[in-house]
Amino acid sequence: METSEADPDSAANHQGELNVELLPDKSTGRPAWGSKVQYILAQVGFSVGLGNVWRFPYLCHQNGGGAFLLLYFLLLVVIGIPLLFLELAAGQSIRQGSIGVWKHISPRLVGFGFASCVVCAFVSLYYNVIIAWSLYYLGNSFQLPLPWENCPEVANQTEEDMECIQSSPTTYFWYRNTLDVTGSIEESGGFNPTLVGCLFAAWAMVCLAIIKGIKSSGKLSMLSDVQVWVQAATQVFFALGLGFGTIIAYSSYNPRHNNCHIDGLLVSMVNFFTSVLATLVVFAVLGIRANAITQACVESNLDHLHRLQLSGFLLHEPPPARNVSTAQYSAWYQGLSNETEGQLLALGIGDCRVEDEMNKGVEGTGLAFITFTEAITLLPVAPLWSVVFFFMLLNLGLSSMLGDMQGIITPLLDNFQSLHQRQTLFTVFCCVVGFLFGLLFVQRSGSYFVAMFDGYSATLPLLIVVAGEAFAVAWIYGADKFLDDIEAMLGWRPWRIYSYMWRFVSLASMVCLLLASLVRLCLSRPTYQAWNKQEADKQQLEYPPWALGLLISLIVVAALPIPIMFVRQLLIERSAWQDGRSSLALGPVPPEEEDKEEEERESPADPDHQSNGYLLVQTEDRQDF
C-alpha cells in the first residue's frame, strides 16, 4: 500500500489542514486482485446479500409494487451511485482502508474510519448467526420427508403436538426445533448446543476464507408516505454497503488506472436487477404456496359446512358445491350477510383469500425459514430444492460476511504495523472473539437479540458515517478538487454532476434520512416479536428498560469514535503547537546537533518507517486489468 506524505500527528500538520493532494506520489507494494473479474465478483458478492432475497421483496410488496421500484431506482441514482463512486475512488486513489483514507484526507476525520470498523463488528456478530441457521437447515435438508413437512407426534405416538397444529409444521420447526425459543428477551433459557456448534462452524469457514486473502473472497399514493421514502432510501443505503468501509478496502487493492466509475455503475445495476429478479422468484414461489394453502382452506371449510348441513345445522345462505374454485368460494363468503358471517366465524369458518396468505411472514427470517420452507415442501423432490435454497443462502451470507470482516481487518492492518506482522494470528483472534460474543445470539432467547442488532446497531451510525464522508469530501477537501484527483488517476474527468450530488443532493438526502430515523426512534418505543407458546402465535412486546439501555448503547458505541478521535487530534495539535513555541523560546538548535538528529531520523522510504501510521506489505503476483 502507499503511504501518506505527511505524518497526521506531526507538528507540520498541527493545524489539521488537509494534504495538498489526495493522490500519493510514491508507488509502493500492496496486495492486489488477480483479475478484474475477481474484484467485481467480490464487490457484487458483498453488496448482493440476504437483504436482496428477503428484505427487498417485502418492501416492494408492502409499498405498492411498481411504484416502490421506481422510487428505489430514483434514490439509487440520487444517493447510491454518487456515494458508491465516492468510496470506490477514495479507496483506489489513497490505497488504504477506511481508517487510512480519512486520516489521509484529514486527521480529524479518522474517527469515521474507526466507526465503520465498529459497525462492521456489530453486523458481523449477528450476521454469522444467520449463516449458522442456514447451516442447520442445510444439514436437515438431506431427509425425506423434510423434518418441517409434518407436525411431530407427542409422546404416546397417537396424536400431533397442539402447538404445531395451531401454527404450522414449518413455524413449529423454526421456533421449537431450531431456536427452542423462550417467551421473551428477559428469559435466557441457556445455550442451544446445536446452534453453538453451527455458529462455530460458520466462524471457522469465515476465518479460513479470510486467511487465504483477497483472492478468495402499483399504488402511486404510497409515494406520498414519508415512511416509504425512508424505507426505500435505507434499502439503497444497505444494499450497496455504503459506510461499512468494505467498498473502500476492496477498491484499495486496485491498480491506479482502474476505471472505478464504470465499476460503481456496474455494481449498482447488478444489485438493482438482482433485487428485482429475486422479487420475481420469491413471489412466484410464495404464490404457489399461497394458492395451495388457500385451496386446502376452501376444501376444509366446505367439508365442515356440508357436515354441519347433514347434521341439521341451518344456514341462511346454503354453502356452494365442493368443487368450486377459491375465487368462487371467496365471492360467496363475501356476499354473506353480517349475521351469517358472524355465525360462521364463531364456528371457526372464515374466508380463504390468496392475498391474505401472501401477506403472512414475508420479511426477514419469517420469509426464509418459515414461509419459503413451507413452499419448498409443496414442490416435487422437496429435499433437493431445500438443499439448493439453503446452499444459496449460505453463499449469499458468506460473501457479505467476508466483506464485513474485510471492513474490520483491512483498515486495522493498514494502520497498525504491529498487527500486520501477525496477520494470520490477528485474523484468528478476531474470529475467536466474534464467536465468543456471538454466543449471546445462540441462547434460546438469541433470536430477539439478532432482531435488536439488525434493527439498531448499524442504521444510525452508518447514516452518520456516510453523511460525514460526503461532507468531508465535498466541503472540507473540496468536491472539485476531488474530481481533479480522479482525473489525474483515470486520465479523464468524471461528470460534473457528481460535484453537485456530493455537495447538495446526496448530502441533504442523508441528513433528512438521519433526522427522520432519529424522530421515529424518539416518538415510538422500540418493540420486538416474541413467540407465545400458549397461543402458538407471535406477539409484539416492548423492550424492557435494560434492553432499551443496551439498544441505545449500541448506537452510542458505534458513533463514539467520531468525536473521540476528533478531540484526540485537537489535543495532539495543541501539544505540537505548544512544543513549537517552547522550541522557539529555547533558541535555534546547534548545527552539529541538528545533523545528528537528521541522521537518526527514519527515512520515509524505509519499509520499517512507522511515523505516519501506515505500513508496506508485499505485493502479490497479479495480472493488470
Side-chain angles (χ1 to χ4, degrees), residues 118-144:
V118 174
V119 172
C120 280
F122 284 160
V123 172
S124 298
L125 288 179
Y126 77 84
Y127 209 88
N128 225 18
V129 177
I130 300 176
I131 296 176
W133 293 343
S134 301
L135 280 173
Y136 180 78
Y137 269 80
L138 180 62
N140 280 278
S141 297
F142 296 92
Q143 302 181 43
L144 186 65

mmCIF file of all heavy atoms in Angstrom, residues 118-144:
data_model
loop_
_atom_site.group_PDB
_atom_site.id
_atom_site.type_symbol
_atom_site.label_atom_id
_atom_site.label_comp_id
_atom_site.label_asym_id
_atom_site.label_seq_id
_atom_site.Cartn_x
_atom_site.Cartn_y
_atom_site.Cartn_z
ATOM 1 N N VAL A 118 -16.345 -0.446 13.880
ATOM 2 C CA VAL A 118 -17.244 -0.856 14.976
ATOM 3 C C VAL A 118 -18.564 -1.366 14.421
ATOM 4 O O VAL A 118 -19.088 -2.397 14.856
ATOM 5 C CB VAL A 118 -17.475 0.317 15.946
ATOM 6 C CG1 VAL A 118 -18.511 -0.057 16.999
ATOM 7 C CG2 VAL A 118 -16.176 0.724 16.619
ATOM 8 N N VAL A 119 -19.113 -0.651 13.438
ATOM 9 C CA VAL A 119 -20.384 -1.084 12.843
ATOM 10 C C VAL A 119 -20.223 -2.437 12.163
ATOM 11 O O VAL A 119 -21.074 -3.324 12.294
ATOM 12 C CB VAL A 119 -20.891 -0.026 11.850
ATOM 13 C CG1 VAL A 119 -22.101 -0.558 11.078
ATOM 14 C CG2 VAL A 119 -21.263 1.249 12.576
ATOM 15 N N CYS A 120 -19.117 -2.611 11.435
ATOM 16 C CA CYS A 120 -18.857 -3.908 10.800
ATOM 17 C C CYS A 120 -18.779 -5.020 11.840
ATOM 18 O O CYS A 120 -19.249 -6.136 11.607
ATOM 19 C CB CYS A 120 -17.556 -3.854 9.999
ATOM 20 S SG CYS A 120 -17.703 -3.070 8.384
ATOM 21 N N ALA A 121 -18.185 -4.708 12.989
ATOM 22 C CA ALA A 121 -18.083 -5.709 14.054
ATOM 23 C C ALA A 121 -19.465 -6.089 14.566
ATOM 24 O O ALA A 121 -19.770 -7.278 14.747
ATOM 25 C CB ALA A 121 -17.222 -5.166 15.192
ATOM 26 N N PHE A 122 -20.323 -5.100 14.803
ATOM 27 C CA PHE A 122 -21.678 -5.386 15.281
ATOM 28 C C PHE A 122 -22.458 -6.231 14.270
ATOM 29 O O PHE A 122 -23.117 -7.206 14.624
ATOM 30 C CB PHE A 122 -22.434 -4.076 15.542
ATOM 31 C CG PHE A 122 -22.028 -3.374 16.802
ATOM 32 C CD1 PHE A 122 -22.300 -2.017 16.983
ATOM 33 C CD2 PHE A 122 -21.373 -4.044 17.817
ATOM 34 C CE1 PHE A 122 -21.930 -1.362 18.145
ATOM 35 C CE2 PHE A 122 -20.997 -3.395 18.989
ATOM 36 C CZ PHE A 122 -21.276 -2.057 19.150
ATOM 37 N N VAL A 123 -22.370 -5.831 12.995
ATOM 38 C CA VAL A 123 -23.109 -6.555 11.952
ATOM 39 C C VAL A 123 -22.583 -7.980 11.813
ATOM 40 O O VAL A 123 -23.358 -8.932 11.672
ATOM 41 C CB VAL A 123 -23.023 -5.801 10.611
ATOM 42 C CG1 VAL A 123 -23.624 -6.633 9.483
ATOM 43 C CG2 VAL A 123 -23.733 -4.454 10.709
ATOM 44 N N SER A 124 -21.255 -8.143 11.884
ATOM 45 C CA SER A 124 -20.670 -9.473 11.745
ATOM 46 C C SER A 124 -21.129 -10.411 12.856
ATOM 47 O O SER A 124 -21.318 -11.609 12.629
ATOM 48 C CB SER A 124 -19.136 -9.374 11.752
ATOM 49 O OG SER A 124 -18.676 -8.608 10.664
ATOM 50 N N LEU A 125 -21.309 -9.876 14.057
ATOM 51 C CA LEU A 125 -21.701 -10.719 15.193
ATOM 52 C C LEU A 125 -23.023 -11.423 14.937
ATOM 53 O O LEU A 125 -23.158 -12.631 15.154
ATOM 54 C CB LEU A 125 -21.794 -9.866 16.466
ATOM 55 C CG LEU A 125 -20.475 -9.379 17.071
ATOM 56 C CD1 LEU A 125 -20.744 -8.533 18.303
ATOM 57 C CD2 LEU A 125 -19.578 -10.558 17.432
ATOM 58 N N TYR A 126 -24.038 -10.670 14.467
ATOM 59 C CA TYR A 126 -25.339 -11.323 14.275
ATOM 60 C C TYR A 126 -25.495 -11.922 12.883
ATOM 61 O O TYR A 126 -26.267 -12.866 12.690
ATOM 62 C CB TYR A 126 -26.479 -10.343 14.565
ATOM 63 C CG TYR A 126 -26.763 -9.318 13.489
ATOM 64 C CD1 TYR A 126 -27.572 -9.626 12.394
ATOM 65 C CD2 TYR A 126 -26.267 -8.028 13.566
ATOM 66 C CE1 TYR A 126 -27.854 -8.692 11.419
ATOM 67 C CE2 TYR A 126 -26.534 -7.085 12.601
ATOM 68 C CZ TYR A 126 -27.329 -7.415 11.532
ATOM 69 O OH TYR A 126 -27.611 -6.484 10.561
ATOM 70 N N TYR A 127 -24.750 -11.381 11.904
ATOM 71 C CA TYR A 127 -24.882 -11.900 10.541
ATOM 72 C C TYR A 127 -24.403 -13.344 10.453
ATOM 73 O O TYR A 127 -24.991 -14.164 9.755
ATOM 74 C CB TYR A 127 -24.066 -11.018 9.584
ATOM 75 C CG TYR A 127 -24.608 -10.978 8.170
ATOM 76 C CD1 TYR A 127 -25.570 -10.045 7.808
ATOM 77 C CD2 TYR A 127 -24.162 -11.869 7.205
ATOM 78 C CE1 TYR A 127 -26.072 -9.997 6.517
ATOM 79 C CE2 TYR A 127 -24.654 -11.824 5.915
ATOM 80 C CZ TYR A 127 -25.599 -10.893 5.578
ATOM 81 O OH TYR A 127 -26.107 -10.857 4.307
ATOM 82 N N ASN A 128 -23.358 -13.663 11.204
ATOM 83 C CA ASN A 128 -22.858 -15.027 11.167
ATOM 84 C C ASN A 128 -23.811 -15.989 11.866
ATOM 85 O O ASN A 128 -23.767 -17.194 11.611
ATOM 86 C CB ASN A 128 -21.467 -15.104 11.809
ATOM 87 C CG ASN A 128 -20.510 -15.933 10.979
ATOM 88 O OD1 ASN A 128 -20.736 -16.184 9.795
ATOM 89 N ND2 ASN A 128 -19.433 -16.382 11.580
ATOM 90 N N VAL A 129 -24.652 -15.477 12.736
ATOM 91 C CA VAL A 129 -25.683 -16.322 13.355
ATOM 92 C C VAL A 129 -26.704 -16.755 12.302
ATOM 93 O O VAL A 129 -27.181 -17.899 12.313
ATOM 94 C CB VAL A 129 -26.372 -15.571 14.511
ATOM 95 C CG1 VAL A 129 -27.491 -16.412 15.117
ATOM 96 C CG2 VAL A 129 -25.359 -15.204 15.588
ATOM 97 N N ILE A 130 -27.030 -15.848 11.387
ATOM 98 C CA ILE A 130 -27.945 -16.206 10.298
ATOM 99 C C ILE A 130 -27.321 -17.283 9.416
ATOM 100 O O ILE A 130 -28.004 -18.196 8.945
ATOM 101 C CB ILE A 130 -28.300 -14.951 9.473
ATOM 102 C CG1 ILE A 130 -28.969 -13.897 10.366
ATOM 103 C CG2 ILE A 130 -29.208 -15.318 8.299
ATOM 104 C CD1 ILE A 130 -29.259 -12.593 9.667
ATOM 105 N N ILE A 131 -26.015 -17.191 9.200
ATOM 106 C CA ILE A 131 -25.314 -18.238 8.457
ATOM 107 C C ILE A 131 -25.391 -19.554 9.217
ATOM 108 O O ILE A 131 -25.569 -20.627 8.628
ATOM 109 C CB ILE A 131 -23.852 -17.823 8.204
ATOM 110 C CG1 ILE A 131 -23.804 -16.585 7.298
ATOM 111 C CG2 ILE A 131 -23.063 -18.961 7.578
ATOM 112 C CD1 ILE A 131 -22.410 -16.046 7.076
ATOM 113 N N ALA A 132 -25.270 -19.494 10.554
ATOM 114 C CA ALA A 132 -25.385 -20.705 11.377
ATOM 115 C C ALA A 132 -26.771 -21.325 11.236
ATOM 116 O O ALA A 132 -26.914 -22.551 11.144
ATOM 117 C CB ALA A 132 -25.089 -20.375 12.840
ATOM 118 N N TRP A 133 -27.804 -20.496 11.214
ATOM 119 C CA TRP A 133 -29.167 -21.018 10.997
ATOM 120 C C TRP A 133 -29.272 -21.700 9.637
ATOM 121 O O TRP A 133 -29.897 -22.761 9.512
ATOM 122 C CB TRP A 133 -30.180 -19.874 11.077
ATOM 123 C CG TRP A 133 -30.323 -19.254 12.428
ATOM 124 C CD1 TRP A 133 -29.921 -19.785 13.627
ATOM 125 C CD2 TRP A 133 -30.895 -17.972 12.728
ATOM 126 N NE1 TRP A 133 -30.206 -18.907 14.648
ATOM 127 C CE2 TRP A 133 -30.811 -17.793 14.134
ATOM 128 C CE3 TRP A 133 -31.470 -16.978 11.965
ATOM 129 C CZ2 TRP A 133 -31.289 -16.646 14.765
ATOM 130 C CZ3 TRP A 133 -31.951 -15.834 12.591
ATOM 131 C CH2 TRP A 133 -31.854 -15.678 13.976
ATOM 132 N N SER A 134 -28.673 -21.073 8.626
ATOM 133 C CA SER A 134 -28.713 -21.671 7.284
ATOM 134 C C SER A 134 -28.001 -23.014 7.268
ATOM 135 O O SER A 134 -28.453 -23.961 6.608
ATOM 136 C CB SER A 134 -28.074 -20.718 6.269
ATOM 137 O OG SER A 134 -28.741 -19.475 6.230
ATOM 138 N N LEU A 135 -26.881 -23.111 7.988
ATOM 139 C CA LEU A 135 -26.173 -24.394 8.091
ATOM 140 C C LEU A 135 -27.046 -25.454 8.744
ATOM 141 O O LEU A 135 -27.054 -26.621 8.319
ATOM 142 C CB LEU A 135 -24.881 -24.211 8.902
ATOM 143 C CG LEU A 135 -23.673 -23.624 8.177
ATOM 144 C CD1 LEU A 135 -22.545 -23.356 9.165
ATOM 145 C CD2 LEU A 135 -23.193 -24.556 7.075
ATOM 146 N N TYR A 136 -27.774 -25.070 9.771
ATOM 147 C CA TYR A 136 -28.651 -26.019 10.463
ATOM 148 C C TYR A 136 -29.729 -26.553 9.514
ATOM 149 O O TYR A 136 -29.992 -27.758 9.455
ATOM 150 C CB TYR A 136 -29.289 -25.341 11.670
ATOM 151 C CG TYR A 136 -30.221 -26.231 12.458
ATOM 152 C CD1 TYR A 136 -29.719 -27.179 13.348
ATOM 153 C CD2 TYR A 136 -31.599 -26.132 12.314
ATOM 154 C CE1 TYR A 136 -30.567 -28.008 14.074
ATOM 155 C CE2 TYR A 136 -32.458 -26.952 13.031
ATOM 156 C CZ TYR A 136 -31.933 -27.880 13.908
ATOM 157 O OH TYR A 136 -32.783 -28.705 14.618
ATOM 158 N N TYR A 137 -30.352 -25.653 8.760
ATOM 159 C CA TYR A 137 -31.391 -26.076 7.820
ATOM 160 C C TYR A 137 -30.802 -26.866 6.667
ATOM 161 O O TYR A 137 -31.425 -27.818 6.175
ATOM 162 C CB TYR A 137 -32.154 -24.856 7.288
ATOM 163 C CG TYR A 137 -33.364 -24.504 8.124
ATOM 164 C CD1 TYR A 137 -33.237 -23.789 9.302
ATOM 165 C CD2 TYR A 137 -34.640 -24.905 7.740
ATOM 166 C CE1 TYR A 137 -34.340 -23.466 10.076
ATOM 167 C CE2 TYR A 137 -35.762 -24.592 8.504
ATOM 168 C CZ TYR A 137 -35.595 -23.873 9.674
ATOM 169 O OH TYR A 137 -36.694 -23.577 10.439
ATOM 170 N N LEU A 138 -29.612 -26.473 6.221
ATOM 171 C CA LEU A 138 -28.968 -27.222 5.146
ATOM 172 C C LEU A 138 -28.688 -28.653 5.594
ATOM 173 O O LEU A 138 -28.919 -29.607 4.846
ATOM 174 C CB LEU A 138 -27.668 -26.533 4.735
ATOM 175 C CG LEU A 138 -26.865 -27.188 3.621
ATOM 176 C CD1 LEU A 138 -27.670 -27.233 2.319
ATOM 177 C CD2 LEU A 138 -25.540 -26.445 3.396
ATOM 178 N N GLY A 139 -28.213 -28.814 6.820
ATOM 179 C CA GLY A 139 -27.945 -30.147 7.333
ATOM 180 C C GLY A 139 -29.187 -30.993 7.479
ATOM 181 O O GLY A 139 -29.152 -32.224 7.316
ATOM 182 N N ASN A 140 -30.334 -30.354 7.771
ATOM 183 C CA ASN A 140 -31.589 -31.080 7.930
ATOM 184 C C ASN A 140 -32.336 -31.291 6.618
ATOM 185 O O ASN A 140 -33.417 -31.896 6.608
ATOM 186 C CB ASN A 140 -32.510 -30.340 8.908
ATOM 187 C CG ASN A 140 -32.162 -30.589 10.358
ATOM 188 O OD1 ASN A 140 -32.547 -31.586 10.951
ATOM 189 N ND2 ASN A 140 -31.376 -29.676 10.929
ATOM 190 N N SER A 141 -31.764 -30.766 5.516
ATOM 191 C CA SER A 141 -32.437 -30.896 4.219
ATOM 192 C C SER A 141 -32.210 -32.259 3.576
ATOM 193 O O SER A 141 -32.914 -32.609 2.618
ATOM 194 C CB SER A 141 -31.950 -29.794 3.270
ATOM 195 O OG SER A 141 -32.287 -28.514 3.766
ATOM 196 N N PHE A 142 -31.250 -33.018 4.072
ATOM 197 C CA PHE A 142 -30.940 -34.315 3.469
ATOM 198 C C PHE A 142 -31.803 -35.412 4.099
ATOM 199 O O PHE A 142 -31.313 -36.440 4.559
ATOM 200 C CB PHE A 142 -29.452 -34.635 3.638
ATOM 201 C CG PHE A 142 -28.547 -33.682 2.926
ATOM 202 C CD1 PHE A 142 -28.037 -32.554 3.578
ATOM 203 C CD2 PHE A 142 -28.203 -33.879 1.597
ATOM 204 C CE1 PHE A 142 -27.202 -31.670 2.931
ATOM 205 C CE2 PHE A 142 -27.365 -33.001 0.935
ATOM 206 C CZ PHE A 142 -26.861 -31.893 1.598
ATOM 207 N N GLN A 143 -33.095 -35.171 4.141
ATOM 208 C CA GLN A 143 -34.041 -36.138 4.705
ATOM 209 C C GLN A 143 -35.289 -36.191 3.830
ATOM 210 O O GLN A 143 -35.655 -35.203 3.201
ATOM 211 C CB GLN A 143 -34.449 -35.742 6.133
ATOM 212 C CG GLN A 143 -33.305 -35.616 7.114
ATOM 213 C CD GLN A 143 -33.785 -35.245 8.507
ATOM 214 O OE1 GLN A 143 -34.781 -35.782 8.993
ATOM 215 N NE2 GLN A 143 -33.072 -34.327 9.155
ATOM 216 N N LEU A 144 -35.921 -37.319 3.826
ATOM 217 C CA LEU A 144 -37.172 -37.495 3.094
ATOM 218 C C LEU A 144 -38.147 -38.255 3.990
ATOM 219 O O LEU A 144 -37.878 -39.401 4.351
ATOM 220 C CB LEU A 144 -36.953 -38.268 1.797
ATOM 221 C CG LEU A 144 -38.184 -38.395 0.867
ATOM 222 C CD1 LEU A 144 -38.581 -37.020 0.356
ATOM 223 C CD2 LEU A 144 -37.878 -39.329 -0.305
#
